[in-house]
Structure formats: C-alpha cells, structure tokens
Amino acid sequence: MKHTQYESEHTKFIKQLKEKTPGMEERQQAGRALLWDKAPLSLDEQRRIDESRLRQQAYPYQTKV
C-alpha cells in the first residue's frame, strides 16, 4: 500500500511560504542567474586565465630550498 496522500511537514511549509510570498521563485531564479549562470568563456579567454594563474607550492608554509 503506497501513501500517495502523504505530504511531509517540510512540503507543507514550502507550499505555504510560496502562497504567502508571491514572486519568491522569480527572485530565487534571478539570484541564481546573478551568481551561477554565467555566459560561456571563449577559448582565448580560457587560455588567458589559465596562463595568468600563479602556481602555488605544495606546502605554502615550507621555505624554498
């Protein structure tokens, strides 16, 4: 017997929150786009970024011999 009518407390909370605050999902998507959804880099930009990285020694606190 499956419990198809069961709804957890968390699910109920999220549904109520979405009903109380219209536009919340749009603001979440806008925030995600601001921080995570970036335009792809061209091959020249990727090469320039890779070449400009400074190599760090394996253990930074060890003096160079």
Side-chain angles (χ1 to χ4, degrees), residues 15-43:
K15 283 184 179 181
Q16 289 174 359
L17 183 65
K18 287 181 180 180
E19 289 173 0
K20 290 179 184 176
T21 54
M24 182 176 71
E25 289 186 53
E26 291 80 15
R27 290 192 304 272
Q28 283 180 323
Q29 291 174 358
R32 177 178 182 246
L34 179 67
L35 296 175
W36 296 103
D37 297 339
K38 305 286 185 191
L41 297 175
S42 70
L43 293 176

Side-chain angles (χ1 to χ4, degrees), residues 27-65:
R27 290 192 304 272
Q28 283 180 323
Q29 291 174 358
R32 177 178 182 246
L34 179 67
L35 296 175
W36 296 103
D37 297 339
K38 305 286 185 191
L41 297 175
S42 70
L43 293 176
D44 290 334
E45 288 175 315
Q46 287 179 353
R47 181 184 47 77
R48 184 182 56 79
I49 290 171
D50 290 339
E51 289 175 354
S52 66
R53 283 205 173 110
L54 296 175
R55 293 210 14 107
Q56 182 178 0
Q57 57 187 8
Y59 187 70
Y61 300 109
Q62 181 178 359
T63 57
K64 295 182 181 179
V65 181

